[in-house]
Amino acid sequence: EAGVVQSPRYKIIEKKQPVAFWCNPISGHNTLYWYLQNLGQGPELLIRYENEEAVDDSQLPKDRFSAERLKGVDSTLKIQPAELGDSAVYLCASSLEGGGNYEQYFGPGTRLTVT
Amino acid sequence: GDSVTQMEGPVTLSEEAFLTINCTYTATGYPSLFWYVQYPGEGLQLLLKATKADDKGSNKGFEATYRKETTSFHLEKGSVQVSDSAVYFCALLKAAGNKLTFGGGTRVLVKP
């Protein structure tokens, strides 16, 4: 079974430019998460989707970040415009919720460098 | 709010040495506790978990026991291998909201 797929794996952009990250969750997983991982720190949740609905976006900086999960499968996270402080790894995870199973499966991440 | 604190690394060990990584948490209610491992260039993988007090999670020779009285979930392995070199993250999860809260991670380097 394929795991969570993310692309690109690496991205270098200049500040003020837009950037987008793509995530394909594990087939059948209804819940999708985007996490931000700064260097030397643990991941922090940005947004959680249940199917198409964003059920927790309280940590998403909405002035410059946006996300969508059309059709409840793939998801895209966008930053516009990017700032130097956005340099980090952006992780996508998915889970199949129900029956008390909350295990989240993580993708390899996209490493963003803003210059 | 909820938080997880784990020992800072890097932790450098020789092969076959004993490994302990301390993890303590602060949370209301009864969270589930997890250890995730991140190998170089890869995503986080669930290593083990415990869902209630006194539960012991184990996998690949690693163990951790959910100690509610000390709010701890220390990770141990009796004999590490070079292949155990990775970053280890302790995390808690509250069922409401299904939100994982991670510690800062501990880098472990095992030398032959």
Side-chain angles (χ1 to χ4, degrees):
Chain A
E1 179 183 270
V4 176
V5 179
Q6 291 187 247
S7 68
R9 291 293 308 275
Y10 305 91
K11 188 73 175 179
I12 301 174
I13 61 171
E14 295 183 347
K15 62 181 180 181
K16 300 185 181 179
Q17 294 301 305
V19 65
F21 314 127
W22 176 80
C23 173
N24 178 243
I26 291 174
S27 178
H29 280 194
N30 56 339
T31 304
L32 184 146
Y33 314 77
W34 283 102
Y35 287 87
L36 167 68
Q37 186 177 17
N38 286 306
L39 185 64
Q41 298 183 24
E44 299 175 8
L45 181 69
L46 288 172
I47 189 168
R48 176 169 70 96
Y49 282 93
E50 287 184 9
N51 300 305
E52 303 89 354
E53 183 181 1
V55 296
D56 183 357
D57 63 357
S58 57
Q59 302 303 310
L60 189 72
K62 298 181 183 65
D63 56 336
R64 296 184 301 108
F65 285 66
S66 64
E68 59 183 10
R69 191 184 184 199
L70 300 177
K71 300 181 181 179
V73 181
D74 295 359
S75 178
T76 302
L77 178 68
K78 298 178 181 177
I79 308 175
Q80 182 172 11
E83 297 179 352
L84 294 177
D86 296 331
S87 295
V89 176
Y90 292 82
L91 296 169
C92 181
S94 69
S95 66
L96 177 61
E97 298 194 13
N101 180 16
Y102 298 109
E103 181 172 348
Q104 296 181 24
Y105 296 81
F106 285 81
T110 296
R111 182 177 297 278
L112 173 67
T113 302
V114 182
T115 63
Chain B
D2 300 340
S3 66
V4 176
T5 302
Q6 57 183 107
M7 60 189 292
E8 292 189 14
V11 175
T12 303
L13 304 165
S14 296
E15 210 166 17
E16 299 184 1
F18 184 87
L19 170 68
T20 297
I21 303 176
N22 290 339
C23 170
T24 57
Y25 68 90
T26 301
T28 57
Y30 303 94
S32 295
L33 300 174
F34 301 80
W35 277 100
Y36 279 83
V37 59
Q38 189 172 34
Y39 299 104
E42 299 183 16
L44 279 76
Q45 301 174 24
L46 179 63
L47 181 59
L48 54 83
K49 66 180 179 182
T51 58
K52 60 182 186 296
D54 299 326
D55 269 2
K56 177 186 284 188
S58 61
N59 186 26
K60 299 182 180 180
F62 290 88
E63 293 184 341
T65 301
Y66 188 162
R67 301 290 189 195
K68 189 165 179 64
E69 65 275 15
T70 55
T71 61
S72 65
F73 192 55
H74 305 321
L75 183 69
E76 297 181 338
K77 185 173 186 181
S79 177
V80 294
Q81 305 299 313
V82 173
S83 58
D84 293 324
S85 296
V87 181
Y88 293 82
F89 292 92
C90 184
L92 69 82
L93 182 140
K94 302 281 279 291
N98 203 19
K99 177 182 177 181
L100 276 171
T101 299
F102 287 88
T106 303
R107 182 175 299 277
V108 173
L109 177 60
V110 180
K111 295 185 175 180

